[in-house]
Amino acid sequence: MKNTTLPDAPATGRLSRAARRAQMLDIALEIIREEGADRLTLGYLAARAGVSKPVAYEHFGTRSGLLTAMYRALDEQHSVVLRDALSKAPKSLQATADVLASAWVHCSADSSGEWHAIGSALGGSEEMVAVHKELIEEYVRLFAATLKPWSTLADDELYRRCAGLIGAGDALSMLMINGQCSEQDAAQSFSALIQGGVGAG
């Protein structure tokens, strides 16, 4: 999901605080795509955005703060796409699983691996651990609520299985990103796992 919030915003223009932050997040993603996560620093981001270093530090505080903000922004786009797709899905287990799987894998494909690159750059930082835990819990709850109508499992077991399914979806997405399978193959495999994992009656 390539962020195109402000693709043509002039670097030196007068922007609101929110617009400036969005612009810098867009530019930070460009840096990762073009030069890799190791090249991304607040100083380099400020230079590319045409602002002073204090402006970048005011918005993000630290490099980890910037990476965390990027991770959240990409995740928010992922969540919107997923929820929108689910709202339009026919009401059957197969159709719902297909939508969950396709949207999940497609978001990874559309982000060109930036999501994983950002996560890797954050590594085992406290910020990343906290954010990752929060976001994963949100997705597990979404999967469980979405799949509950077709499940015969107790709620706690369904929750655990959905946590495992999300891990499988991420692993399949990485296979696709690494060129080991197509997006369609990854989505089909993920859908099959979802359908087989919810204890459908």
Side-chain angles (χ1 to χ4, degrees):
M1 296 159 294
K2 294 177 176 58
N3 188 354
T4 54
T5 311
L6 291 168
D8 302 316
T12 58
R14 280 285 190 181
L15 300 176
S16 69
R17 180 178 175 79
R20 178 65 74 191
R21 180 183 175 87
Q23 179 211 29
M24 287 193 289
L25 287 173
D26 282 349
I27 292 171
L29 278 173
E30 289 176 8
I31 292 170
I32 287 180
R33 291 185 194 121
E34 296 168 4
E35 304 179 58
D38 289 345
R39 186 72 174 95
L40 181 62
T41 65
L42 287 173
Y44 187 47
L45 172 61
R48 284 280 298 264
V51 300
S52 64
K53 278 187 182 181
V55 171
Y57 279 93
E58 179 186 349
H59 278 276
F60 304 109
T62 63
R63 181 174 184 269
S64 290
L66 168 61
L67 289 166
T68 299
M70 295 170 68
Y71 195 84
R72 283 188 179 279
L74 285 173
D75 181 81
E76 183 177 350
Q77 293 176 58
H78 190 170
S79 180
V80 167
V81 170
L82 185 58
R83 291 174 188 276
D84 182 62
L86 284 172
S87 72
K88 300 171 183 175
K91 302 305 179 186
S92 72
L93 174 58
Q94 180 176 346
T96 300
D98 285 345
V99 167
L100 281 171
S102 296
W104 191 273
V105 172
H106 183 70
C107 283
S108 291
D110 198 30
S111 69
S112 303
E114 290 100 349
W115 202 12
H116 296 282
I118 294 166
S120 296
L122 278 165
S125 70
E126 291 183 9
E127 295 98 327
M128 182 57 185
V129 170
V131 169
H132 192 257
K133 181 176 182 292
E134 173 192 335
L135 298 180
I136 287 298
E137 286 177 351
E138 288 179 7
Y139 281 118
V140 173
R141 286 194 294 269
L142 173 61
F143 269 55
T146 300
L147 296 169
K148 184 176 174 61
W150 298 282
S151 177
T152 58
L153 301 171
D155 288 350
D156 57 349
E157 177 62 17
L158 177 61
Y159 183 91
R160 288 191 293 269
R161 291 201 189 187
C162 287
L165 288 169
I166 286 171
D170 281 345
L172 287 165
S173 295
M174 283 305 301
L175 285 180
M176 174 199 64
I177 290 168
N178 292 334
Q180 294 173 266
C181 69
S182 68
E183 180 179 337
Q184 181 179 5
D185 287 342
Q188 287 178 345
S189 295
F190 191 21
S191 178
L193 288 171
I194 292 170
Q195 293 177 65
V198 299

